[in-house]
């Protein structure tokens, strides 16, 4: 339009041109303020002035509500364009997508750091677990021979070795904040440490009767939660700890317990077992104890999946049992908090055989759970991703409101039989780092490293391999992403710790 006046048949693209002309005017104004001598077309200036004048007249005529526009679609389009321009998220500029595209390229170029962690003497044995502090400033290493190692992950400098941190293997480390962390061991104890004073423990916690395998922390209640091979899940009140320990109580007990995790919002607890069952406690309340008196459900025969893809099978990714008041009369009359669901997750290639869930992790946004499973014959190993399915059909009040669906999987190398391999999600949840023989694999949900919610498959799909890196001389047992840097670490059976950074 030569006059720049809006027309009755104005298309939604016109507001885009208006905005582009406004951006040109803003640039010209800034150039004039800086004393620029660049000339502009008088005709273009007149047209843009007329457009601005007509827009102001239209807004003034209807009291600034925008009802004076010739068409509602044009008004909506103009409003949405202004909003997207204001927050800088439109088809031209999308910082989120640009950021993740950049991160994908960086992770695709990951290589072992040239100054990766090296120790003059390696008496600590195998590396069982790695944990970064929340601010990414410290990397802690749980070792087989009673030691805990501390490193600066940026410089790869060895900070300190906690000699005889425990009397047996150190299995897991968990940071409560940037300074306080907890360790657990096969000596049945948990120890609290402070980075500001590493010469001695803050306190030692006694309560388990067998090997303590992992630690979780509820940031809402400040309760430390531990699980062990004695089948117990114990909560510890860190609000009242002293040098002699802190109050604790048994929260839950089940046989064959392998791993226990809390979702990021601490609304669910997941427990994996060596018998292939996955237990989910919904609407979690750690102040109440849940005691399962009958193990009939846990001894139930494995139900085959329906080839037709029934609603129950497709939602749960396997057979599902719920514990209600009829099965467990002692739960009758209680609130639906801590309702228990028992699942048999579907494992590719293992439908007719049992399996052991050896490793359990949760998506950082609570969307899915990540399992490492091995067959009972120990001849196959799988990494599987299960999405939490919300909005399931109504059930009795004490039964759960969601279950799991297998979305992605991949077969692993099955090297180092008998050892548990700990895998992990990246901080944004787009990548998985999985121990793979003498190295690690970076896995994604699709070739673009998209969010899980943006690439949810209709049918179960294979995880995509982004990169494989072989940098160890022995079987890799654990891996961990840094929460703040573009970096991850891995540890192997011979005790070496490797750091990986982008290679430019």
């Amino acid at each position: 339009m030569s006059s720049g006046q809006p027309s009755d048949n104005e298309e939604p693209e016109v507001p885009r041109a208006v905005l582009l002309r406004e951006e040109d005017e803003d640039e010209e104004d800034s150039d004039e303020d800086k004393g620029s001598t660049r000339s502009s077309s008088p005709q273009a200036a007149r047209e843009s002035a007329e457009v601005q004048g007509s827009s102001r007249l239209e807004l003034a005529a209807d009291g600034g509500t925008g009802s004076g526009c010739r068409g509602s679609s044009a008004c909506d389009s103009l409003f949405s364009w202004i909003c997207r321009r204001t927050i800088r998220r439109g088809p031209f500029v999308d910082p989120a997508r640009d950021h993740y595209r950049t991160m994908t390229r960086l992770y695709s170029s990951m290589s072992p750091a040239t100054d990766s962690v090296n120790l003059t003497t390696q008496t600590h044995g195998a590396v069982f677990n790695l944990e970064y502090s929340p601010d990414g400033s410290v990397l802690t290493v749980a070792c087989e021979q009673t030691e805990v190692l501390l490193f600066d992950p940026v410089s790869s400098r060895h900070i300190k070795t906690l000699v005889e941190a425990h009397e047996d293997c150190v299995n897991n480390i968990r940071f409560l904040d940037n300074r306080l962390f907890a360790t657990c061991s096969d000596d049945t104890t948990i120890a609290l440490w402070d980075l500001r004073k590493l010469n001695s423990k803050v306190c030692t916690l006694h309560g388990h009767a067998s090997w303590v395998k992992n630690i979780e922390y509820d940031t809402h209640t400040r309760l430390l939660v531990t699980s062990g091979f004695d089948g117990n899940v114990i909560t510890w009140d860190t609000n009242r700890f002293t040098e002699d320990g802190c109050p604790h109580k048994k929260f839950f007990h089940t046989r064959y317990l392998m791993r226990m995790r809390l979702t990021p919002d601490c609304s669910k607890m997941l427990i994996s077992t060596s018998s292939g069952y996955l237990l989910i406690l919904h609407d979690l309340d750690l102040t109440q104890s849940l005691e399962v008196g009958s193990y009939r459900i846990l001894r139930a025969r494995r139900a085959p999946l329906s080839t037709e893809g029934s609603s129950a099978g497709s939602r749960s990714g396997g057979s599902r049992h719920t514990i209600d008041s009829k099965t467990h009369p002692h739960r009758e009359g209680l609130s639906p908090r801590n309702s228990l669901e028992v699942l048999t997750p579907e494992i590719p290639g293992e439908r007719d055989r049992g399996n052991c869930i050896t490793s359990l992790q949760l998506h950082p946004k609570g969307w899915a759970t990540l399992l490492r499973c091995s067959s009972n014959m120990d001849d196959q190993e799988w990494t599987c991703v299960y999405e939490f399915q919300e909005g399931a059909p109504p059930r009795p009040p004490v039964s759960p409101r969601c279950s799991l669906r297998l979305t992605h999987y991949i077969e692993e190398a099955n090297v180092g039989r008998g050892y548990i391999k700990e895998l992990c999600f990246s901080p944004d949840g787009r990548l998985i780092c999985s121990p793979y023989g003498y190295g690690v694999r970076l896995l994604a949900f699709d070739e673009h490293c998209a969010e899980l919610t943006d690439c949810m498959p209709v049918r179960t799909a294979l995880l995509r391999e982004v990169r494989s890196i072989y940098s160890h001389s022995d079987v890799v047992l654990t891996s961990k992403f840094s929460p703040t840097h573009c970096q991850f670490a891995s540890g192997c059976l011979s005790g070496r710790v490797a750091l990986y950074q982008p290679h430019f």
Side-chain angles (χ1 to χ4, degrees):
M1 291 181 291
S2 60
S3 63
Q5 296 291 340
S7 171
D8 293 340
N9 297 323
E10 187 175 359
E11 296 296 329
E13 286 77 11
V14 173
R16 185 183 306 179
V18 173
L19 290 174
L20 291 175
R21 281 196 291 270
E22 288 177 359
E23 289 179 354
D24 293 337
E25 291 170 8
D26 293 339
E27 292 177 359
E28 291 173 6
D29 292 341
S30 62
D31 291 340
E32 290 174 0
D33 293 339
K34 296 176 182 178
S36 173
T37 59
R38 183 182 59 185
S39 62
S40 60
S41 171
Q43 178 65 24
R46 281 197 300 272
E47 288 180 358
S48 60
E50 289 173 359
V51 170
Q52 288 181 348
S54 62
S55 300
R56 282 193 288 267
L57 286 173
E58 288 177 356
L59 290 174
D62 83 288
T65 61
S67 60
C69 292
R70 295 294 188 270
S72 60
S73 61
C75 293
D76 294 340
S77 178
L78 175 61
F79 179 78
S80 60
W81 271 91
I82 292 174
C83 286
R84 283 197 291 267
R85 186 186 182 209
T86 301
I87 61 176
R88 308 303 294 163
R89 287 178 65 88
F92 301 112
V93 179
D94 191 342
R97 292 188 181 277
D98 288 344
H99 168 72
Y100 288 123
R101 190 179 298 114
T102 301
M103 295 303 292
T104 300
R105 288 197 292 265
L106 287 174
Y107 279 117
S108 298
S109 66
M110 296 292 268
S111 299
T114 55
D115 54 348
S116 196
V117 174
N118 285 305
L119 296 175
T120 54
T121 59
Q122 293 188 355
T123 60
H124 51 268
V127 174
F128 287 159
N129 184 245
L130 299 166
E131 186 71 13
Y132 284 87
S133 60
D135 60 3
S137 62
V138 177
L139 172 64
T140 56
V141 183
C143 302
E144 177 185 16
Q145 300 296 332
T146 75
E147 296 180 354
V148 174
L149 310 178
L150 289 88
F151 295 93
D152 178 352
V154 177
S155 64
S156 303
R157 183 173 59 88
H158 176 226
I159 300 174
K160 190 175 180 62
T161 297
L162 303 181
V163 182
E164 297 184 356
H166 287 272
E167 296 178 1
D168 208 332
C169 303
V170 184
N171 296 316
N172 192 243
I173 302 174
R174 175 70 61 183
F175 274 86
L176 283 61
D177 52 38
N178 285 324
R179 292 170 177 159
L180 194 65
F181 66 95
T183 60
C184 65
S185 169
D186 283 356
D187 65 5
T188 75
T189 68
I190 301 99
L192 292 181
W193 304 84
D194 193 324
L195 288 176
R196 297 165 295 183
K197 187 181 178 181
L198 291 171
N199 293 329
S200 61
K201 305 174 185 178
V202 174
C203 64
T204 301
L205 310 179
H206 300 269
H208 283 279
S210 185
W211 301 347
V212 187
K213 287 301 182 181
N214 76 287
I215 308 171
E216 292 289 296
Y217 183 63
D218 185 347
T219 55
H220 304 302
T221 60
R222 294 188 64 188
L223 290 176
L224 197 68
V225 190
T226 61
S227 66
F229 279 0
D230 56 1
N232 290 328
V233 176
I234 297 178
T235 59
W236 311 80
D237 189 357
T238 59
N239 297 293
R240 297 185 290 165
F241 74 82
T242 64
E243 293 181 357
D244 299 326
C246 61
H248 68 278
K249 67 177 181 178
K250 185 171 73 173
F251 172 74
F252 184 75
H253 176 83
T254 184
R255 290 189 285 185
Y256 318 121
L257 189 153
M258 286 291 294
R259 290 291 185 268
M260 174 272 304
R261 302 290 180 193
L262 300 180
T263 53
D265 61 358
C266 299
S267 64
K268 299 181 183 70
M269 176 185 289
L270 280 75
I271 298 173
S272 65
T273 67
S274 59
S275 56
Y277 291 98
L278 185 67
L279 283 63
I280 306 179
L281 290 170
H282 299 270
D283 293 322
L284 188 65
D285 183 1
L286 291 172
T287 62
Q288 299 180 12
S289 295
L290 176 64
E291 297 181 2
V292 180
S294 171
Y295 291 92
R296 180 172 59 85
I297 287 181
L298 299 183
R299 294 197 301 267
R301 184 178 179 181
R302 194 182 196 81
L305 295 173
S306 171
T307 57
E308 298 294 328
S310 63
S311 60
S314 62
R315 282 191 172 274
S316 65
S319 59
R320 178 177 65 239
H321 311 280
T322 58
I323 296 181
D324 54 23
S325 58
K326 293 182 180 179
T327 306
H328 294 277
H330 63 277
R331 285 191 53 82
E332 187 173 4
L334 293 182
S335 67
R337 303 296 298 272
N338 296 334
S339 56
L340 177 63
E341 181 180 17
V342 183
L343 296 172
T344 308
E346 176 187 353
I347 307 297
E350 293 296 315
R351 297 186 177 185
D352 300 325
R353 298 190 294 172
N355 63 83
C356 175
I357 304 175
T358 57
S359 180
L360 170 65
Q361 297 291 339
L362 287 166
H363 191 279
K365 298 179 182 178
W367 295 341
T369 182
L370 178 65
L371 303 183
R372 185 77 171 247
C373 309
S374 61
S375 64
N376 281 346
M377 301 295 294
D378 211 19
D379 57 348
Q380 282 184 304
E381 201 169 19
W382 302 85
T383 290
C384 303
V385 179
Y386 299 85
E387 176 205 13
F388 283 107
Q389 293 286 285
E390 302 291 347
R395 301 187 181 97
V398 295
S399 63
R401 287 173 297 284
C402 74
S403 51
L404 299 177
R405 181 178 74 92
L406 177 64
T407 60
H408 297 81
Y409 71 94
I410 194 168
E411 187 170 3
E412 297 290 359
N414 195 31
V415 178
R417 297 182 182 182
Y419 286 97
I420 296 174
K421 290 90 175 181
E422 299 286 358
L423 29 68
C424 63
F425 277 108
S426 62
D428 56 17
R430 292 173 176 249
L431 289 172
I432 296 167
C433 186
S434 175
Y436 189 72
Y438 288 10
V440 294
R441 286 196 297 185
L442 293 180
L443 306 171
F445 302 115
D446 68 357
E447 63 274 12
H448 305 296
C449 294
E451 291 271 20
L452 177 61
T453 54
D454 294 337
C455 59
M456 191 63 65
V458 177
R459 295 185 177 181
T460 303
L462 282 172
L463 288 166
R464 303 296 184 96
E465 184 176 321
V466 176
R467 184 169 175 79
S468 295
I469 310 173
Y470 301 95
S471 59
H472 289 272
S473 59
D474 212 331
V475 179
V476 176
L477 301 181
T478 182
S479 59
K480 193 69 177 181
F481 279 96
S482 167
T484 55
H485 299 87
C486 187
Q487 182 190 80
F488 65 90
S490 63
C492 71
L493 189 59
S494 63
R496 183 175 183 269
V497 177
L499 295 176
Y500 305 84
Q501 295 173 348
H503 178 71
F504 299 102

